[in-house]
Amino acid sequence: MYTTFYRDNAIKAGIPENAEGEICWESPANIALIKYWGKETGQIPMNASLSFSLKKSVVRACMRYKANIKGEGGLLSFKVNGEENEAFARRIKDYLISLYPYFPCLGKLDLEIETHSTFPHSAGIASSAAAFSALALCLCSMEEALYNKETINEDFFRKASYMARLGSGSACRSVYDGFALWGETRHYQTGSKLFAAKLFEQDTDPVFNTLKDAILVADSSAKKVSSSGGHALMNQHLYRQSRIEQVELNLKKLLDALKEGDEKTFVEIVENEALTLHGLMMTSNPGYLLMKPGTLEMIEKIREFREETGINVGFTLDAGPNIHLIYFEKDAKNVRPFITTELVPHCEYGQWMDDQMGPGPKKINKL
Ligand code: PMV
């Protein structure tokens, strides 16, 4: 319904001949607790996922636009951290072309885009989620500026989430602060496959509002399998159906834990999801083993620490070897020394980043 809605309501009017301006947004990376793994055509997820947005790991994007009176507009330049990036520019060009049905104005504009990320590529954080979210927000704001609208409200973010999804699936969860849910589930009323939605405040106990995420870099080498390649492995996966059923069970338990302030169940489900994601990858055809010795060393340490201290701390992993240590702010004074003495020695060159749940995207004036 939203696809037809956005296409049918796309503003087909011309743009002012002297249209010119610049729009910038900053948007966070997000870390999934319930993992999105497997998709159908059109960036439709195989299952629902749930994540939270980070504070320090953000991408800033600036989009400069100028009317092209001949109607031959396009992407003139694309820079990442101050440098031209051909590979990413091609991806962005294709992305923008795919968005013409939603933003017909794109054909009449010359664009120059520049992005800057606060975290090193080697940290293995999905910069594409933060980048596509920032770009989608810029596009939605640019459209509003061109047609003299100003509606930064729920519909605005829903549209930005829809557009971000078309760039990189998990990007649709980055347009919100706090917890975001993407996909349909029996257990939450607002789930949609087309865009993410923020969990209602009354559905999360305040203990979860200040979650911490220490990103521990076990290995920074390039990914062995791309995201799209990884999702494709689920098409023929022997465990596909069981995975779809498991997500519903895990999502229900996690949503209940969030509501009730049940830290122990929260940690159990988060770890189960991370190991399931890797289990699915190991048992795909071809199979991938993305954990490294440092990853396993850290997992052992985390589990020992939890058993010895009774502190609810756990890990999650994306499709790579780096650990995201998830813990509660109230335990920070005990967990911090554990990170630096027990975990950091297993990190490549001692690299780690201390991050936490963040305030979501914001419009900015410059990079
Ligand atoms: O958005 P993509 O296509 O890069 O996929 C992200 C997949 C995971 O990071 C492994 C899980 C998730 O839900 O973010």
Side-chain angles (χ1 to χ4, degrees):
M1 168 216 164
Y2 275 90
T3 303
T4 338
F5 177 80
Y6 287 137
R7 285 179 183 228
D8 289 355
N9 287 284
I11 305 173
K12 300 193 177 82
I15 55 164
E17 271 188 19
N18 59 350
E20 185 169 3
E22 181 177 51
I23 302 279
C24 307
W25 275 85
E26 173 184 296
S27 189
N30 69 75
I31 179 71
L33 303 174
I34 300 286
K35 304 291 181 183
Y36 150 53
W37 198 239
K39 66 174 171 182
E40 284 148 33
T41 318
Q43 304 277 86
I44 298 299
M46 184 188 91
N47 57 265
S49 58
L50 189 136
S51 64
F52 69 88
S53 289
L54 299 177
K55 184 174 181 180
K56 295 185 194 163
S57 308
V58 300
V59 168
R60 299 192 187 102
C62 279
M63 192 175 273
R64 274 181 289 284
Y65 59 92
K66 193 169 188 272
N68 178 312
I69 32 176
K70 290 193 204 143
E72 295 165 0
L75 182 64
L76 298 185
S77 76
F78 183 79
K79 282 188 186 163
V80 178
N81 294 341
E83 284 174 24
E84 302 270 350
N85 184 319
E86 259 308 305
F88 210 12
R90 264 196 304 277
R91 192 168 165 197
I92 300 296
K93 256 184 199 158
D94 291 345
Y95 172 60
L96 293 172
I97 290 170
S98 77
L99 294 186
Y100 275 27
Y102 308 98
F103 298 100
C105 60
L106 281 173
K108 300 166 199 148
L109 290 166
D110 283 328
L111 297 179
E112 288 178 33
I113 301 176
E114 206 167 326
T115 68
H116 179 88
S117 68
T118 56
F119 47 96
H121 189 63
S122 62
I125 307 170
S127 58
S128 59
F132 278 106
S133 158
L135 288 176
L137 287 158
C138 285
L139 284 169
C140 292
S141 279
M142 180 180 78
E143 182 184 51
E144 293 206 342
L146 285 170
Y147 301 107
N148 296 318
K149 288 201 308 173
E150 176 78 50
T151 57
I152 300 195
N153 57 19
E154 207 183 315
D155 289 342
F156 174 89
F157 286 104
R158 182 182 298 145
K159 182 168 176 179
S161 177
Y162 181 106
M163 300 306 159
R165 185 194 98 241
L166 298 175
S168 164
S170 60
C172 72
R173 299 185 310 236
S174 274
V175 307
Y176 303 105
D177 58 318
F179 294 98
L181 174 75
W182 170 39
E184 282 168 9
T185 165
R186 292 195 296 282
H187 307 298
Y188 210 76
Q189 71 264 38
T190 59
S192 165
K193 293 179 177 183
L194 301 178
F195 45 79
K198 208 176 123 95
L199 287 195
F200 296 118
E201 222 168 279
Q202 67 267 26
D203 292 331
T204 49
D205 185 278
V207 76
F208 294 106
N209 291 348
T210 48
L211 273 181
K212 309 281 279 178
D213 177 8
I215 304 154
L216 298 139
V217 181
D219 188 285
S220 64
S221 22
K223 283 200 211 174
K224 280 192 217 150
V225 56
S226 69
S227 254
S228 291
H231 290 296
L233 295 170
M234 287 311 294
N235 295 343
Q236 306 295 329
H237 205 296
L238 190 61
Y239 301 149
R240 181 184 163 95
Q241 199 48 39
S242 325
R243 170 61 185 153
I244 292 171
E245 286 160 28
Q246 182 201 27
V247 170
E248 282 297 284
L249 295 173
N250 276 352
L251 198 50
K252 165 93 176 86
K253 287 187 195 158
L254 193 76
L255 288 167
D256 287 349
L258 287 174
K259 195 162 184 149
E260 287 155 19
D262 180 352
E263 298 170 24
K264 191 164 177 289
T265 306
F266 171 84
V267 164
E268 259 169 44
I269 302 298
V270 167
E271 288 195 357
N272 180 263
E273 277 289 309
L275 294 176
T276 298
L277 171 69
H278 281 256
L280 288 168
M281 272 184 288
M282 285 187 242
T283 49
S284 303
N285 188 8
Y288 292 92
L289 211 169
L290 303 183
M291 287 193 251
K292 295 283 176 184
T295 318
L296 294 171
E297 302 276 10
M298 287 193 265
I299 290 178
E300 291 280 330
K301 293 272 178 197
I302 295 163
R303 291 187 157 175
E304 267 168 38
F305 176 76
R306 187 165 66 225
E307 240 161 65
E308 281 164 16
T309 62
I311 295 175
N312 290 306
V313 37
F315 63 87
T316 186
L317 301 156
D318 265 345
N322 303 326
I323 294 272
H324 287 250
L325 185 79
I326 309 292
Y327 61 103
F328 296 90
E329 192 175 42
K330 64 186 167 55
D331 300 318
K333 67 173 186 313
N334 294 314
V335 177
R336 278 295 293 244
F338 162 68
I339 295 174
T340 47
T341 58
E342 302 289 332
L343 300 183
V344 174
H346 298 288
C347 293
E348 188 187 69
Y349 311 119
Q351 285 180 88
W352 74 289
M353 282 178 42
D354 190 23
D355 213 336
Q356 64 191 74
M357 186 179 259
K362 64 171 189 243
K363 206 169 175 190
I364 51 176
N365 293 325
K366 56 182 170 57
L367 271 194

